[in-house]
Amino acid sequence: LGSSFTEKGVLMLFFLFLICADAMVAPKQLVKVEMVADVVCPYCYIGFKHLQDAVAKAQELEMPIDVQVSYTPFILRRHLPKDGVDKMTIFKQQFGSVERAHGVFDGVKRSAAEAGLCFNPDGQRAGNSEDAHRLLLWSQPFGKELQLQLFEGMVKAYNCEQGWLGDHEVLTKSAAKTGLLEEDVRKVLADPSASLADLESGLQRAERLGVSGVPFFLVNERHAVPGAVPAEQFLNIFEQLTSG
């Protein structure tokens, strides 16, 4: 009887220790990262991957942070048609020659490869990405995680599969991969007013932030991070937040 009582007592103390140890673990610090991006911007595709890599590394290092990423829309070429135009033509006009345009594409390709991403500019189009952003904003009530999955699916379709993100079939396919119902997605895309107010609000938010180029990241409303910066730069900010 005494031995049994002792064993029960030891187990009780052990469970109490576990409960107390769990209670003593410091809560993770919430880190909010706002990503201002256009889905047809290759460097937004690369910058998002760098952010994902930084978050994964922070978890590997067991940093006491909980990173929550949100998306704010930005449209680079709203003046162009939604069905898009040949991107090389636009870049030739923008940079002055075919050679310079190819040089820009080569730079993006190198940056994508360094990030472990595919990038194939052959046949890429440029244009008004409004419908893709409307769909992204419509998806937000289904959860930010799903919304970011949809964003990732869209940028992969554009940069790897030559899918134009003004094409409703491409957008519907990307959305279906996240579990969204195709019938609902088609209704949203067919109605130009669906989530349009949210889009305008998001674009105004980007304007208030002073964003003129993307990607642009804002960490905890304080740390501005313009461009597709390396993952290490995000990690440095995370470390500053945990040590400060």
Side-chain angles (χ1 to χ4, degrees):
L1 181 62
S3 174
S4 176
F5 178 78
T6 302
E7 289 176 1
K8 288 181 180 178
V10 170
L11 285 172
M12 182 69 73
L13 288 171
F14 178 69
F15 285 125
L16 285 172
F17 170 78
L18 290 178
I19 293 170
C20 291
D22 187 59
M24 290 169 63
V25 174
K28 289 187 176 182
Q29 181 178 347
L30 177 62
V31 177
K32 294 183 177 181
V33 181
E34 180 178 359
M35 174 180 67
V36 184
D38 192 351
V39 286
V40 294
C41 160
Y43 278 110
C44 295
Y45 165 58
I46 296 167
F48 181 50
K49 177 60 163 55
H50 288 169
L51 174 59
Q52 290 176 309
D53 289 345
V55 173
K57 187 63 177 179
Q59 292 174 342
E60 181 184 323
L61 296 172
E62 297 184 347
M63 287 187 184
I65 58 173
D66 176 18
V67 182
Q68 294 186 3
V69 182
S70 63
Y71 139 85
T72 295
F74 189 93
I75 300 180
L76 287 165
R77 299 182 178 90
R78 205 173 189 182
H79 61 287
L80 292 180
K82 288 185 178 182
D83 56 359
V85 296
D86 178 62
K87 195 169 188 177
M88 178 57 75
T89 301
I90 297 298
F91 272 35
K92 179 183 175 182
Q93 294 171 353
Q94 184 175 348
F95 298 105
S97 69
V98 172
E99 290 75 18
R100 289 181 179 177
H102 277 298
V104 173
F105 280 132
D106 289 343
V108 176
K109 189 177 292 187
R110 284 193 298 271
S111 296
E114 289 170 1
L117 298 171
C118 58
F119 176 72
N120 185 351
D122 296 340
Q124 264 195 351
R125 301 183 72 73
N128 184 350
S129 54
E130 180 178 304
D131 287 352
H133 288 291
R134 287 195 302 105
L135 183 60
L136 278 165
L137 292 164
W138 170 81
S139 74
Q140 185 170 328
F142 295 95
K144 287 185 178 180
E145 185 176 341
L146 182 144
Q147 186 185 48
L148 292 173
Q149 287 175 358
L150 178 55
F151 177 90
E152 186 171 11
M154 286 182 181
V155 295
K156 284 183 177 178
Y158 180 65
N159 290 288
C160 299
E161 302 161 11
Q162 292 73 52
W164 169 236
L165 297 181
D167 184 334
H168 288 186
E169 288 304 315
V170 172
L171 294 175
T172 300
K173 183 179 178 181
S174 296
K177 289 180 179 178
T178 70
L180 292 168
L181 295 177
E182 286 192 25
E183 182 181 355
D184 294 339
V185 170
R186 293 184 189 281
K187 286 180 181 178
V188 172
L189 293 173
D191 179 4
S193 67
S195 296
L196 184 60
D198 292 332
L199 173 58
E200 298 298 344
S201 178
L203 295 174
Q204 289 169 13
R205 163 69 178 170
E207 187 175 352
R208 287 195 303 273
L209 290 173
V211 178
S212 57
V214 285
F216 178 91
F217 302 90
L218 186 64
V219 183
N220 279 1
E221 295 282 351
R222 299 200 309 272
H223 303 274
V225 185
V229 301
E232 290 75 18
Q233 190 163 332
F234 287 113
L235 277 172
N236 288 339
I237 295 174
F238 296 162
E239 288 172 353
Q240 290 172 25
L241 292 172
T242 55
S243 62

